[in-house]
Structure formats: C-alpha cells, structure tokens
C-alpha cells in the first residue's frame, strides 16, 4: 500500500502513524532505536506489506500490469489503490480528507526531529502539493506516477499507467474495495498483537 493507506491503517496514535509512514526507510532491526510507539508503526507497516503482497486480489491487479511494467507493477497498484481510498474517503472515515491530511502534516512538523533525512527532504514537496488529497483525482495520481517515473530515471514508464487505470477503472476499483475491507480487519488485529509484544 502507498502513503495514504498506511497512514489510515495506523489508527489514532500520531507516533504509530509516523512509524508506519517512515517504515520503508528503516532497515532490519534499526527500528529498535526509535520510541516504542514508532516501533509499533514500523512493524505494522511491514506486516501490512507482507499481507498485501501475498493477497490474491492484489495479485490480480498487478498481473494486469505486469507484462508492461514488470516489477514496478506492484508499486503502481499501491498508488492506484491510494487513489481509490482518497476518492471514496467518506466511506472509510468521518473526518474529511482535507482535514485529515492537514492533521497528519501538522503531526509530521511536530515530530520533525524524529523523521529520517529522506522524509525531511521529501516533506516540503508533500505539503506544498498536498499529496494525500491530490490522490483523489486522476490528475493527482498522474502527477504522482510521473514523479515515481522520474525517480527511476524514466526506466519504469510508470507515468503511462494512467492509461491502464482509465481502461480498467472499474476492475481496479472493485479489487481495491474487496481487498481493503480485509486489510482493515487484518491491520486492526495486527496492531493489537504488535502493541502487546512491544509493551510487555
């Protein structure tokens, strides 16, 4: 899953959410250097990724893209799923997406000193372009895919994946909806399990 989903699946604790958000940049046992609540978020992120990568519905989505985008197809699906979460946000959360995103950005600024350098450098772009809210539109997800393509030095052609999004829009949306309901339940259970392990 991409940024918005990981943030949403973290629950109400700001530090758990930040841990989940920064987890991709924390390797191996380095998570142990962080406060317990951030550790919980990092471990939750890893479990979400494992569950997602193995899920048959997600694999159905990635298979549709694999021939053209190869190993980048999983990254693309993560981003497309964030589009559907943002677009259908009111189904999952009572707080409007704009307010939810603003609260998260404030939390990042509040806990700036604990963020890895990579995240600190990325933050101005994220806040200026309001990534989390922009995912809700086709234009926004197109810009996100273009940014990812630039990071691969244009090798991935990820910017072109908006074509598949538009062609198979209903299929991707149905797959996201089916999968995300399961992921929400998995994440709630896994969060409780990790909290027990870390705190005892």
């Amino acid at each position: 899953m991409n940024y918005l989903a990981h943030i949403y699946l973290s629950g109400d604790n700001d530090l758990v959410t930040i841990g989940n958000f920064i987890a991709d940049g924390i390797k191996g046992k380095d998570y142990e250097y962080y406060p317990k609540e951030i550790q919980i978020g990092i471990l939750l992120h890893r479990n979400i990724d494992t569950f997602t990568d193995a899920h048959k519905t997600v694999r159905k989505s990635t298979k549709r893209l694999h021939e053209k985008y190869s190993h980048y197809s999983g990254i693309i699906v993560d981003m497309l799923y964030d589009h559907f979460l943002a677009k259908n946000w009111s189904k999952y959360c009572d707080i409007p997406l704009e307010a939810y995103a603003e609260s998260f950005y404030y939390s990042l600024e509040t806990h700036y000193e604990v963020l890895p350098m990579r995240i600190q450098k990325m933050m101005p772009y994220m806040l200026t372009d309001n990534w989390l809210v922009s995912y809700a539109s086709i234009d926004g997800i197109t810009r996100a895919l273009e940014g990812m393509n630039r990071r691969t030095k244009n090798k991935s052609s990820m910017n072109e994946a908006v074509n598949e999004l538009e062609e198979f829009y209903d299929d991707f949306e149905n797959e996201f909806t089916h999968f995300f309901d399961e992921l929400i339940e998995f994440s709630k259970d896994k969060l409780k399990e990790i909290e027990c392990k870390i705190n005892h």
Side-chain angles (χ1 to χ4, degrees):
M1 301 306 290
N2 200 47
Y3 293 133
L4 182 59
H6 275 294
I7 294 163
Y8 171 77
L9 293 166
S10 300
D12 298 328
N13 185 301
D14 283 357
L15 287 176
V16 171
T17 304
I18 283 173
N20 199 336
F21 177 68
I22 67 173
D24 276 336
I26 312 300
K27 304 305 178 190
K29 290 196 169 185
D30 287 354
Y31 74 91
E32 293 176 351
Y33 296 114
Y34 286 88
K36 282 187 176 181
E37 290 164 307
I38 290 180
Q39 289 185 35
I40 291 166
I42 293 168
L43 294 174
L44 176 62
H45 180 110
R46 293 178 180 180
N47 278 275
I48 288 169
D49 280 356
T50 301
F51 180 81
T52 300
D53 291 344
H55 200 282
K56 61 184 179 183
T57 302
V58 178
R59 289 188 167 185
K60 194 174 176 184
S61 292
T62 54
K63 189 176 180 183
R64 195 175 290 120
L65 300 168
H66 195 268
E67 186 177 346
K68 181 173 179 182
Y69 303 101
S70 186
H71 59 282
Y72 295 109
S73 55
I75 300 168
I76 294 167
V77 168
D78 284 347
M79 297 177 75
L80 300 189
Y81 279 13
D82 253 15
H83 164 65
F84 293 114
L85 174 56
K87 177 197 163 196
N88 299 298
W89 183 256
S90 61
K91 176 182 173 184
Y92 300 101
C93 187
D94 293 334
I95 304 166
L97 181 56
E98 291 79 2
Y100 185 92
E102 196 63 41
S103 176
F104 174 70
Y105 300 149
Y106 177 76
S107 178
L108 282 183
E109 292 171 328
T110 303
H111 302 287
Y112 184 82
E113 72 287 343
V114 82
L115 302 176
M117 184 68 69
R118 181 180 71 89
I119 300 292
Q120 290 181 354
K121 288 181 176 177
M122 182 183 84
M123 259 181 65
Y125 302 101
M126 184 179 200
L127 274 59
T128 300
D129 294 333
N130 200 355
W131 288 1
L132 300 181
V133 173
S134 75
Y135 293 153
S137 70
I138 296 282
D139 284 348
I141 210 68
T142 300
R143 286 194 298 276
L145 288 164
E146 287 169 349
M148 290 299 291
N149 184 54
R150 282 194 298 275
R151 270 173 241 163
T152 68
K153 297 180 179 171
N154 303 318
K155 290 175 186 169
S156 66
S157 302
M158 287 168 70
N159 56 308
E160 296 175 15
V162 70
N163 297 323
E164 282 80 10
L165 171 61
E166 290 176 329
E167 183 178 354
F168 301 104
Y169 196 88
D170 290 344
D171 295 316
F172 280 122
E173 185 162 21
N174 289 335
E175 285 155 10
F176 162 77
T177 303
H178 173 75
F179 164 68
F180 201 64
D181 286 344
E182 289 186 36
L183 182 59
I184 289 169
E185 292 310 310
F186 169 83
S187 299
K188 284 178 183 172
D189 292 342
K190 188 57 68 172
L191 179 57
K192 288 176 190 168
E193 182 185 315
I194 295 168
E195 284 172 341
C196 285
K197 280 183 182 172
I198 293 288
N199 291 321
H200 293 95

